[in-house]
Amino acid sequence: ALLLAAAAALLRPRPGRCGAALWLGLGLSDHWMSAACWLPAAAWTSRPWRARDAAVAAALLLTGATLYLQLPLCAAREPVWGDPGRAAGLAGVILRSDFLPQAALKPAGMTGWQLGHALLFPVREAGLSFTLLALAGAAALWRARPRALGLLGGGSVLLLAGVAALANPVHVASGEFVFWLSDRFFLPYLAALAAAAGAGLLTLRAALPPHRRWAAWAAGAGLLAAELAGHRTRNDHGRDYLGFDYAENLRVSLGGSTVLFAEADYQMFPMLALLHVERRAPETVFIVTNPFLNRDWGWRRLAARRPEARDLAAAGPLGADPAHR
């Protein structure tokens, strides 16, 4: 949505570069790996640039990205992922430096496979009809609005190529392919195709006689209704009790007042919901451990937050002292 708002601002008859820069900055603060792929396409489709325009756009881009300051603000209150309380630690969290070693282990020859998986993402998520309509709309944009196609298509191509070249979909511990971990990167690609599908509907409307043009809007509404109906069971979580049961059984097994150390990962999300949404165990303290229990600064921060942990903090990181093990 943020990237489409930026595209809409840039494609106006009088391009709104300031607004687009702010939208893009907000996109960077949400998921910079996806939004950054749109920056070259946005700069190219909004040429020419004057020095003053570029300076204002850069300032607004950074203003939107300042939402990243919530990371050190949260770190000042309790242990969080990484060490965003320091400049170097904040850069490491933003740049995902903990995941770089895994990316370097990517098997050779997988890039083409990933690219094919990425290209078919709209077919898997929105269906073949939507994808064909979007491709027809892209052809219409090629003739009527080349700048729009350059922005939407250029950002999508850079995004798909970047993920295929840099992301490693192999789970290091098990060797299993988990392509779905990168599917979230493709949401802007799907949004760009949605804009192209709108152009396809407009092309269909223009091709129909005036008294039949209502059929184009009916086709669009029917396609949307079919997609919603097809995904209804997948999106309805009203009867998903497995996660709730898992968290409730864990809570009961803890007994009374408990300090729970755990990684904030998929297996602990149900427990987080039980503690902070359901508020079923107010006497339980949940402390995120990854990846701070093997760092001196993590134990110091824990001691500041929980004075009863001072002796542990003084002994050093987990594993340094045999007593900890």
Side-chain angles (χ1 to χ4, degrees):
L2 293 169
L3 292 173
L4 286 183
L10 287 175
L11 296 172
R12 287 163 45 190
R14 296 185 61 185
R17 291 175 173 172
C18 292
L22 186 58
W23 288 120
L24 286 170
L26 293 171
L28 290 173
S29 66
D30 177 50
H31 195 251
W32 70 262
M33 293 81 76
S34 296
C37 296
W38 251 256
L39 295 179
W44 182 78
T45 55
S46 57
R47 296 179 303 169
W49 285 88
R50 295 180 302 173
R52 179 178 178 276
D53 294 337
V56 172
L60 289 169
L61 192 77
L62 292 174
T63 299
T66 56
L67 287 182
Y68 268 122
L69 293 176
Q70 63 91 11
L71 295 175
L73 290 174
C74 288
R77 297 185 60 247
E78 59 184 279
V80 294
W81 181 281
D83 187 22
R86 300 182 301 112
L90 177 62
V93 173
I94 294 175
L95 296 177
R96 309 296 202 269
S97 59
D98 284 338
F99 299 105
L100 292 179
Q102 178 177 344
L105 296 174
K106 178 179 178 179
M110 186 167 288
T111 297
W113 192 0
Q114 285 181 265
L115 188 58
H117 175 84
L119 288 172
L120 293 176
F121 175 74
V123 179
R124 296 193 303 272
E125 287 298 311
L128 183 60
S129 299
F130 166 85
T131 306
L132 292 176
L133 180 63
L135 292 176
L141 288 175
W142 176 267
R143 296 190 300 269
R145 299 288 300 277
R147 283 183 64 245
L149 183 63
L151 177 55
L152 298 174
S156 297
V157 167
L158 291 172
L159 173 64
L160 299 184
V163 173
L166 301 175
N168 185 1
V170 179
H171 186 259
V172 173
S174 66
E176 179 186 1
F177 293 111
V178 282
F179 279 131
W180 58 269
L181 285 175
S182 59
D183 277 0
R184 67 197 72 182
F185 287 75
F186 306 141
L187 292 176
Y189 167 46
L190 189 64
L193 286 180
L201 287 175
L202 291 175
T203 303
L204 175 63
R205 181 179 181 275
L208 293 172
H211 64 286
R212 296 292 180 91
R213 289 178 176 172
W214 59 268
W217 307 129
L223 180 62
L224 178 60
E227 294 300 329
L228 290 173
H231 290 79
R232 181 181 61 82
T233 54
R234 189 183 76 173
N235 294 332
D236 180 12
H237 301 289
R239 300 181 63 83
D240 290 351
Y241 299 122
L242 184 60
F244 179 87
D245 289 344
Y246 162 77
E248 180 64 9
N249 291 335
L250 179 58
R251 182 191 71 83
V252 172
S253 70
L254 294 176
S257 298
T258 304
V259 178
L260 180 62
F261 291 86
E263 289 196 10
D265 214 332
Y266 297 108
Q267 67 270 21
M268 287 309 302
F269 289 161
M271 193 64 183
L272 286 171
L274 201 69
L275 295 177
H276 299 298
V277 179
E278 297 272 341
R279 299 190 182 279
R280 292 207 170 202
E283 70 281 3
T284 298
V285 177
F286 182 83
I287 295 178
V288 177
T289 65
N290 51 327
F292 89 98
L293 279 186
N294 59 345
R295 316 282 175 87
D296 287 318
W297 55 259
W299 285 99
R300 287 196 299 270
R301 187 183 301 161
L302 176 62
R305 179 69 171 165
R306 307 288 302 180
E308 59 270 32
R310 287 174 182 167
D311 292 340
L312 289 174
L318 188 64
D321 186 334
H324 284 177
R325 294 195 294 270

